[in-house]
PDB file of all heavy atoms in Angstrom:
ATOM      1  N   ASN K1377    -163.376-236.294   1.963  1.00  0.00           N
ATOM      2  CA  ASN K1377    -162.209-235.710   2.632  1.00  0.00           C
ATOM      3  C   ASN K1377    -161.117-235.284   1.646  1.00  0.00           C
ATOM      4  O   ASN K1377    -160.134-234.668   2.036  1.00  0.00           O
ATOM      5  CB  ASN K1377    -161.632-236.704   3.644  1.00  0.00           C
ATOM      6  CG  ASN K1377    -161.187-238.010   2.996  1.00  0.00           C
ATOM      7  OD1 ASN K1377    -161.600-238.332   1.888  1.00  0.00           O
ATOM      8  ND2 ASN K1377    -160.339-238.752   3.690  1.00  0.00           N
ATOM      9  N   MET K1378    -161.281-235.618   0.387  1.00  0.00           N
ATOM     10  CA  MET K1378    -160.292-235.224  -0.627  1.00  0.00           C
ATOM     11  C   MET K1378    -160.646-233.826  -1.147  1.00  0.00           C
ATOM     12  O   MET K1378    -161.438-233.669  -2.090  1.00  0.00           O
ATOM     13  CB  MET K1378    -160.260-236.247  -1.764  1.00  0.00           C
ATOM     14  CG  MET K1378    -159.866-237.643  -1.308  1.00  0.00           C
ATOM     15  SD  MET K1378    -159.578-238.782  -2.687  1.00  0.00           S
ATOM     16  CE  MET K1378    -161.190-238.808  -3.457  1.00  0.00           C
ATOM     17  N   ARG K1379    -160.075-232.824  -0.514  1.00  0.00           N
ATOM     18  CA  ARG K1379    -160.437-231.440  -0.830  1.00  0.00           C
ATOM     19  C   ARG K1379    -160.142-231.070  -2.278  1.00  0.00           C
ATOM     20  O   ARG K1379    -160.823-230.220  -2.854  1.00  0.00           O
ATOM     21  CB  ARG K1379    -159.707-230.475   0.110  1.00  0.00           C
ATOM     22  CG  ARG K1379    -160.246-230.461   1.530  1.00  0.00           C
ATOM     23  CD  ARG K1379    -159.499-229.449   2.384  1.00  0.00           C
ATOM     24  NE  ARG K1379    -159.998-229.413   3.756  1.00  0.00           N
ATOM     25  CZ  ARG K1379    -160.906-228.547   4.200  1.00  0.00           C
ATOM     26  NH1 ARG K1379    -161.427-227.664   3.371  1.00  0.00           N
ATOM     27  NH2 ARG K1379    -161.289-228.564   5.465  1.00  0.00           N
ATOM     28  N   PHE K1380    -159.139-231.703  -2.869  1.00  0.00           N
ATOM     29  CA  PHE K1380    -158.798-231.340  -4.244  1.00  0.00           C
ATOM     30  C   PHE K1380    -159.958-231.607  -5.195  1.00  0.00           C
ATOM     31  O   PHE K1380    -160.058-230.983  -6.261  1.00  0.00           O
ATOM     32  CB  PHE K1380    -157.544-232.096  -4.707  1.00  0.00           C
ATOM     33  CG  PHE K1380    -157.736-233.577  -4.903  1.00  0.00           C
ATOM     34  CD1 PHE K1380    -158.240-234.091  -6.095  1.00  0.00           C
ATOM     35  CD2 PHE K1380    -157.422-234.461  -3.880  1.00  0.00           C
ATOM     36  CE1 PHE K1380    -158.423-235.459  -6.266  1.00  0.00           C
ATOM     37  CE2 PHE K1380    -157.614-235.825  -4.042  1.00  0.00           C
ATOM     38  CZ  PHE K1380    -158.111-236.326  -5.236  1.00  0.00           C
ATOM     39  N   SER K1381    -160.853-232.528  -4.806  1.00  0.00           N
ATOM     40  CA  SER K1381    -161.993-232.836  -5.672  1.00  0.00           C
ATOM     41  C   SER K1381    -162.931-231.644  -5.804  1.00  0.00           C
ATOM     42  O   SER K1381    -163.695-231.554  -6.774  1.00  0.00           O
ATOM     43  CB  SER K1381    -162.762-234.043  -5.131  1.00  0.00           C
ATOM     44  OG  SER K1381    -163.341-233.753  -3.867  1.00  0.00           O
ATOM     45  N   MET K1382    -162.857-230.721  -4.831  1.00  0.00           N
ATOM     46  CA  MET K1382    -163.688-229.518  -4.916  1.00  0.00           C
ATOM     47  C   MET K1382    -163.290-228.662  -6.110  1.00  0.00           C
ATOM     48  O   MET K1382    -164.106-227.897  -6.626  1.00  0.00           O
ATOM     49  CB  MET K1382    -163.580-228.707  -3.624  1.00  0.00           C
ATOM     50  CG  MET K1382    -164.249-229.343  -2.414  1.00  0.00           C
ATOM     51  SD  MET K1382    -165.975-229.812  -2.701  1.00  0.00           S
ATOM     52  CE  MET K1382    -166.667-228.285  -3.278  1.00  0.00           C
ATOM     53  N   GLY K1383    -162.040-228.789  -6.560  1.00  0.00           N
ATOM     54  CA  GLY K1383    -161.614-228.054  -7.746  1.00  0.00           C
ATOM     55  C   GLY K1383    -162.413-228.487  -8.965  1.00  0.00           C
ATOM     56  O   GLY K1383    -162.829-227.656  -9.782  1.00  0.00           O
ATOM     57  N   MET K1384    -162.630-229.807  -9.086  1.00  0.00           N
ATOM     58  CA  MET K1384    -163.425-230.324 -10.199  1.00  0.00           C
ATOM     59  C   MET K1384    -164.890-229.927 -10.040  1.00  0.00           C
ATOM     60  O   MET K1384    -165.565-229.574 -11.017  1.00  0.00           O
ATOM     61  CB  MET K1384    -163.277-231.846 -10.271  1.00  0.00           C
ATOM     62  CG  MET K1384    -161.857-232.309 -10.617  1.00  0.00           C
ATOM     63  SD  MET K1384    -161.685-234.114 -10.660  1.00  0.00           S
ATOM     64  CE  MET K1384    -161.597-234.489  -8.909  1.00  0.00           C
ATOM     65  N   TRP K1385    -165.392-229.968  -8.797  1.00  0.00           N
ATOM     66  CA  TRP K1385    -166.771-229.568  -8.531  1.00  0.00           C
ATOM     67  C   TRP K1385    -166.969-228.100  -8.899  1.00  0.00           C
ATOM     68  O   TRP K1385    -167.968-227.732  -9.535  1.00  0.00           O
ATOM     69  CB  TRP K1385    -167.086-229.799  -7.060  1.00  0.00           C
ATOM     70  CG  TRP K1385    -168.534-229.626  -6.673  1.00  0.00           C
ATOM     71  CD1 TRP K1385    -169.487-230.600  -6.653  1.00  0.00           C
ATOM     72  CD2 TRP K1385    -169.177-228.427  -6.226  1.00  0.00           C
ATOM     73  NE1 TRP K1385    -170.688-230.084  -6.236  1.00  0.00           N
ATOM     74  CE2 TRP K1385    -170.532-228.756  -5.965  1.00  0.00           C
ATOM     75  CE3 TRP K1385    -168.748-227.119  -6.029  1.00  0.00           C
ATOM     76  CZ2 TRP K1385    -171.458-227.810  -5.509  1.00  0.00           C
ATOM     77  CZ3 TRP K1385    -169.674-226.167  -5.580  1.00  0.00           C
ATOM     78  CH2 TRP K1385    -171.004-226.519  -5.325  1.00  0.00           C
ATOM     79  N   ASN K1386    -166.015-227.256  -8.517  1.00  0.00           N
ATOM     80  CA  ASN K1386    -166.105-225.831  -8.832  1.00  0.00           C
ATOM     81  C   ASN K1386    -166.071-225.593 -10.340  1.00  0.00           C
ATOM     82  O   ASN K1386    -166.753-224.700 -10.854  1.00  0.00           O
ATOM     83  CB  ASN K1386    -164.964-225.060  -8.168  1.00  0.00           C
ATOM     84  CG  ASN K1386    -165.102-225.012  -6.660  1.00  0.00           C
ATOM     85  OD1 ASN K1386    -166.203-225.114  -6.124  1.00  0.00           O
ATOM     86  ND2 ASN K1386    -163.986-224.872  -5.962  1.00  0.00           N
ATOM     87  N   ALA K1387    -165.244-226.383 -11.046  1.00  0.00           N
ATOM     88  CA  ALA K1387    -165.137-226.213 -12.491  1.00  0.00           C
ATOM     89  C   ALA K1387    -166.464-226.493 -13.178  1.00  0.00           C
ATOM     90  O   ALA K1387    -166.803-225.863 -14.192  1.00  0.00           O
ATOM     91  CB  ALA K1387    -164.047-227.122 -13.046  1.00  0.00           C
ATOM     92  N   VAL K1388    -167.236-227.431 -12.625  1.00  0.00           N
ATOM     93  CA  VAL K1388    -168.513-227.801 -13.235  1.00  0.00           C
ATOM     94  C   VAL K1388    -169.650-226.911 -12.746  1.00  0.00           C
ATOM     95  O   VAL K1388    -170.473-226.433 -13.539  1.00  0.00           O
ATOM     96  CB  VAL K1388    -168.848-229.282 -12.936  1.00  0.00           C
ATOM     97  CG1 VAL K1388    -170.222-229.650 -13.506  1.00  0.00           C
ATOM     98  CG2 VAL K1388    -167.772-230.187 -13.505  1.00  0.00           C
ATOM     99  N   PHE K1389    -169.682-226.654 -11.436  1.00  0.00           N
ATOM    100  CA  PHE K1389    -170.839-225.980 -10.857  1.00  0.00           C
ATOM    101  C   PHE K1389    -170.564-224.571 -10.341  1.00  0.00           C
ATOM    102  O   PHE K1389    -171.513-223.837 -10.038  1.00  0.00           O
ATOM    103  CB  PHE K1389    -171.402-226.822  -9.694  1.00  0.00           C
ATOM    104  CG  PHE K1389    -171.816-228.204 -10.095  1.00  0.00           C
ATOM    105  CD1 PHE K1389    -171.113-229.313  -9.650  1.00  0.00           C
ATOM    106  CD2 PHE K1389    -172.905-228.402 -10.919  1.00  0.00           C
ATOM    107  CE1 PHE K1389    -171.490-230.596 -10.002  1.00  0.00           C
ATOM    108  CE2 PHE K1389    -173.295-229.687 -11.282  1.00  0.00           C
ATOM    109  CZ  PHE K1389    -172.591-230.783 -10.831  1.00  0.00           C
ATOM    110  N   GLY K1390    -169.310-224.191 -10.206  1.00  0.00           N
ATOM    111  CA  GLY K1390    -168.986-222.905  -9.616  1.00  0.00           C
ATOM    112  C   GLY K1390    -169.051-221.757 -10.602  1.00  0.00           C
ATOM    113  O   GLY K1390    -169.315-221.928 -11.796  1.00  0.00           O
ATOM    114  N   SER K1391    -168.789-220.569 -10.093  1.00  0.00           N
ATOM    115  CA  SER K1391    -168.775-219.375 -10.926  1.00  0.00           C
ATOM    116  C   SER K1391    -167.831-218.358 -10.310  1.00  0.00           C
ATOM    117  O   SER K1391    -167.700-218.262  -9.088  1.00  0.00           O
ATOM    118  CB  SER K1391    -170.184-218.773 -11.029  1.00  0.00           C
ATOM    119  OG  SER K1391    -170.152-217.542 -11.726  1.00  0.00           O
ATOM    120  N   THR K1392    -167.156-217.614 -11.146  1.00  0.00           N
ATOM    121  CA  THR K1392    -166.289-216.521 -10.680  1.00  0.00           C
ATOM    122  C   THR K1392    -166.801-215.187 -11.220  1.00  0.00           C
ATOM    123  O   THR K1392    -166.125-214.173 -11.112  1.00  0.00           O
ATOM    124  CB  THR K1392    -164.838-216.741 -11.154  1.00  0.00           C
ATOM    125  OG1 THR K1392    -164.815-216.856 -12.585  1.00  0.00           O
ATOM    126  CG2 THR K1392    -164.249-218.005 -10.531  1.00  0.00           C
ATOM    127  N   GLU K1393    -167.989-215.204 -11.792  1.00  0.00           N
ATOM    128  CA  GLU K1393    -168.552-213.989 -12.377  1.00  0.00           C
ATOM    129  C   GLU K1393    -168.903-212.979 -11.289  1.00  0.00           C
ATOM    130  O   GLU K1393    -169.473-213.333 -10.252  1.00  0.00           O
ATOM    131  CB  GLU K1393    -169.805-214.343 -13.184  1.00  0.00           C
ATOM    132  CG  GLU K1393    -170.404-213.168 -13.932  1.00  0.00           C
ATOM    133  CD  GLU K1393    -171.603-213.577 -14.775  1.00  0.00           C
ATOM    134  OE1 GLU K1393    -171.895-214.783 -14.827  1.00  0.00           O
ATOM    135  OE2 GLU K1393    -172.228-212.684 -15.378  1.00  0.00           O
ATOM    136  N   GLY K1394    -168.558-211.722 -11.507  1.00  0.00           N
ATOM    137  CA  GLY K1394    -168.858-210.676 -10.545  1.00  0.00           C
ATOM    138  C   GLY K1394    -170.277-210.147 -10.703  1.00  0.00           C
ATOM    139  O   GLY K1394    -170.996-210.509 -11.638  1.00  0.00           O
ATOM    140  N   PHE K1395    -170.661-209.297  -9.776  1.00  0.00           N
ATOM    141  CA  PHE K1395    -172.011-208.749  -9.795  1.00  0.00           C
ATOM    142  C   PHE K1395    -172.159-207.728 -10.919  1.00  0.00           C
ATOM    143  O   PHE K1395    -171.282-206.893 -11.140  1.00  0.00           O
ATOM    144  CB  PHE K1395    -172.350-208.098  -8.457  1.00  0.00           C
ATOM    145  CG  PHE K1395    -173.750-207.574  -8.391  1.00  0.00           C
ATOM    146  CD1 PHE K1395    -174.812-208.451  -8.231  1.00  0.00           C
ATOM    147  CD2 PHE K1395    -174.011-206.224  -8.506  1.00  0.00           C
ATOM    148  CE1 PHE K1395    -176.113-207.984  -8.179  1.00  0.00           C
ATOM    149  CE2 PHE K1395    -175.309-205.745  -8.454  1.00  0.00           C
ATOM    150  CZ  PHE K1395    -176.367-206.624  -8.294  1.00  0.00           C
ATOM    151  N   LYS K1396    -173.276-207.819 -11.609  1.00  0.00           N
ATOM    152  CA  LYS K1396    -173.567-206.881 -12.691  1.00  0.00           C
ATOM    153  C   LYS K1396    -174.884-206.182 -12.404  1.00  0.00           C
ATOM    154  O   LYS K1396    -175.892-206.827 -12.092  1.00  0.00           O
ATOM    155  CB  LYS K1396    -173.653-207.618 -14.038  1.00  0.00           C
ATOM    156  CG  LYS K1396    -172.328-208.167 -14.552  1.00  0.00           C
ATOM    157  CD  LYS K1396    -172.501-208.758 -15.949  1.00  0.00           C
ATOM    158  CE  LYS K1396    -171.169-209.223 -16.529  1.00  0.00           C
ATOM    159  NZ  LYS K1396    -170.632-210.386 -15.819  1.00  0.00           N
ATOM    160  N   ILE K1397    -174.877-204.868 -12.519  1.00  0.00           N
ATOM    161  CA  ILE K1397    -176.097-204.097 -12.336  1.00  0.00           C
ATOM    162  C   ILE K1397    -177.001-204.269 -13.546  1.00  0.00           C
ATOM    163  O   ILE K1397    -176.549-204.241 -14.683  1.00  0.00           O
ATOM    164  CB  ILE K1397    -175.762-202.605 -12.128  1.00  0.00           C
ATOM    165  CG1 ILE K1397    -175.081-202.409 -10.773  1.00  0.00           C
ATOM    166  CG2 ILE K1397    -177.008-201.740 -12.215  1.00  0.00           C
ATOM    167  CD1 ILE K1397    -174.640-201.003 -10.502  1.00  0.00           C
ATOM    168  N   ASP K1398    -178.278-204.467 -13.292  1.00  0.00           N
ATOM    169  CA  ASP K1398    -179.270-204.534 -14.356  1.00  0.00           C
ATOM    170  C   ASP K1398    -179.855-203.131 -14.513  1.00  0.00           C
ATOM    171  O   ASP K1398    -180.657-202.684 -13.673  1.00  0.00           O
ATOM    172  CB  ASP K1398    -180.360-205.542 -13.997  1.00  0.00           C
ATOM    173  CG  ASP K1398    -181.366-205.763 -15.126  1.00  0.00           C
ATOM    174  OD1 ASP K1398    -181.442-204.899 -16.028  1.00  0.00           O
ATOM    175  OD2 ASP K1398    -182.074-206.787 -15.097  1.00  0.00           O
ATOM    176  N   SER K1399    -179.453-202.447 -15.567  1.00  0.00           N
ATOM    177  CA  SER K1399    -179.862-201.046 -15.754  1.00  0.00           C
ATOM    178  C   SER K1399    -181.354-200.902 -16.022  1.00  0.00           C
ATOM    179  O   SER K1399    -181.900-199.797 -15.909  1.00  0.00           O
ATOM    180  CB  SER K1399    -179.068-200.421 -16.900  1.00  0.00           C
ATOM    181  OG  SER K1399    -179.267-201.156 -18.100  1.00  0.00           O
TER     182      SER K1399
END
Side-chain angles (χ1 to χ4, degrees):
N1377 60 341
M1378 299 189 298
R1379 287 182 180 265
F1380 69 85
S1381 64
M1382 290 308 306
M1384 295 179 282
W1385 189 91
N1386 291 334
V1388 177
F1389 301 111
S1391 174
T1392 57
E1393 185 177 356
F1395 183 76
K1396 291 185 176 68
I1397 291 177
D1398 185 341
S1399 58

